[in-house]
Amino acid sequence: MSESKEKIKLFGEKQVRAVWDEEAEKWWFSIVDVVSVLTDSADAQAYWRKLKQRLKEEGNETVTNCHGLKMLSPDGKMRLTDVADTEQILRLIQSIPSKRAEPFKLWLAKVGNERIDETVDPEQSIDRAIQNYRRLGYSESWINQRIKLIEVRKALTDEWDKSGVKQGTEYSALTDLMSKTWSGMTTREYKKYKGLKKENLRDNMTNTELVLNMLAEVAATDISIVRQPSGFDESAEVAQEGAKAAKVARKQIEKSTGRPAVSKLSANNSGKRLLEEN
């Protein structure tokens, strides 16, 4: 999944962990959390294990297609959790005898409607993101930079679209190229350096890293507007040239401060305030 963001959805007084998949444009919900909402089981995890085994024996395709994602657990650690999309969840509900099923279906429809509203009015999505970042303890200066970076990234991907760059693998390749050029690491290497797994890399950058990443993307966008590249190869040249501007800035910062501009510091998984270098 790309640019995925974990959120907590509330159903009544209970929490359901959810992840928005930007690439597939769908929500993934924690099945254990859904089971907890729909049943009175004292051990939702055990209930799901038994149900999962029974459905597998029955040849249920929904269970076969379910997969795991790392989500934030109550103990503050990222743990692998079985997830399902809205369609799969609705099918699983049919296998759980519960009076709460119908209101849960209405709740899922509400979640879907929220996403549609955000698509029609992107400002709602931004407002919700700001509230989530504040809840997680990020500083206001960091939030401002992060929101601006979303705008900058959109401008760059608009240029890629006009140039004929394909979403998915080619987007990822250009992003990796830019990251490698200015930071010295691909996205995967960068996440590993910070000790991240499923977490969003940009949500775990310091102010300095966000600004450098933003500079790379702004420069690449400006160059693209002037040169109007065609296809992946020409767009890659533009992307790399834009990222070089951020590399120069990074080198100058490191020379002036005597320390690396790219840091292992990141947002704590338990939601504590971002530790900043500045």
Side-chain angles (χ1 to χ4, degrees):
M1 296 191 301
S2 63
E3 295 294 320
S4 60
K5 173 63 60 188
E6 184 173 348
K7 295 184 178 180
I8 298 295
K9 298 294 182 180
L10 294 177
F11 178 77
E13 296 180 353
K14 293 194 174 183
Q15 295 183 340
V16 177
R17 289 166 293 172
V19 170
W20 172 252
D21 185 343
E22 292 283 356
E23 186 173 340
E25 296 188 341
K26 65 168 67 176
W27 282 105
W28 295 102
F29 298 93
S30 164
I31 297 177
V32 172
D33 292 353
V34 172
V35 169
S36 178
V37 168
L38 296 179
T39 71
D40 294 317
S41 174
D43 189 342
Q45 186 70 53
Y47 188 105
W48 166 235
R49 282 198 299 267
K50 292 179 181 178
L51 177 62
K52 184 178 182 180
Q53 182 60 37
R54 176 170 66 80
L55 293 176
K56 278 186 176 180
E57 292 172 354
E58 295 174 357
N60 188 296
E61 292 185 4
T62 300
V63 177
T64 303
N65 294 332
C66 289
H67 64 280
L69 288 177
K70 284 200 171 183
M71 288 183 161
L72 189 63
S73 299
D75 62 5
K77 296 182 179 180
M78 299 297 291
R79 299 188 183 279
L80 196 64
T81 304
D82 283 340
V83 297
D85 61 21
T86 303
E87 182 179 356
Q88 292 169 334
I89 288 292
L90 289 172
R91 289 181 179 177
L92 285 174
I93 286 174
Q94 298 172 12
S95 303
I96 301 176
S98 171
K99 295 179 181 179
R100 303 172 189 169
E102 188 58 33
F104 193 85
K105 292 176 185 178
L106 294 175
W107 176 81
L108 284 174
K110 180 177 180 295
V111 170
N113 187 63
E114 285 178 0
R115 184 57 192 178
I116 293 173
D117 288 344
E118 290 176 359
T119 301
V120 175
D121 183 5
E123 187 175 343
Q124 291 187 31
S125 178
I126 294 174
D127 289 342
R128 194 167 283 121
I130 291 173
Q131 292 305 315
N132 283 330
Y133 286 135
R134 284 174 177 164
R135 177 176 58 81
L136 291 171
Y138 290 90
S139 68
E140 289 298 318
S141 63
W142 186 95
I143 293 173
N144 291 336
Q145 296 290 357
R146 182 67 179 95
I147 297 303
K148 184 63 179 179
L149 184 55
I150 293 173
E151 177 187 335
V152 168
R153 174 71 177 181
K154 180 64 169 57
L156 178 58
T157 55
D158 284 347
E159 281 299 307
W160 287 351
D161 286 340
K162 287 194 298 183
S163 302
V165 175
K166 298 177 182 177
Q167 294 189 26
T169 54
E170 291 190 348
Y171 266 37
S172 297
L174 291 181
T175 301
D176 270 348
L177 175 62
M178 294 183 70
S179 178
K180 183 73 173 180
T181 300
W182 79 260
S183 73
M185 294 177 282
T186 64
T187 303
R188 178 172 295 183
E189 292 168 344
Y190 207 153
K191 292 181 72 172
K192 184 177 180 180
Y193 176 72
K194 282 182 172 287
L196 306 175
K197 292 183 175 64
K198 291 290 184 181
E199 302 94 324
N200 186 290
L201 175 59
R202 295 170 189 235
D203 282 353
N204 288 275
M205 286 182 171
T206 63
N207 268 329
T208 300
E209 291 169 305
L210 284 177
V211 170
L212 289 171
N213 194 84
M214 192 186 305
L215 174 58
E217 295 191 339
V218 166
T221 301
D222 287 348
I223 296 170
S224 180
I225 291 173
V226 172
R227 294 189 184 176
Q228 298 186 7
S230 177
F232 176 81
D233 291 340
E234 291 184 11
S235 294
E237 292 178 5
V238 169
Q240 188 170 35
E241 190 166 340
K244 285 180 180 177
K247 180 180 179 180
V248 171
R250 176 176 68 83
K251 293 288 188 181
Q252 183 58 52
I253 291 173
E254 292 175 341
K255 181 180 179 181
S256 298
T257 63
R259 61 181 183 178
V262 175
S263 172
K264 289 185 177 182
L265 297 178
S266 63
N268 188 289
N269 284 333
S270 63
K272 292 182 180 179
R273 188 183 182 89
L274 181 73
L275 297 175
E276 298 190 41
E277 292 178 332
N278 300 333

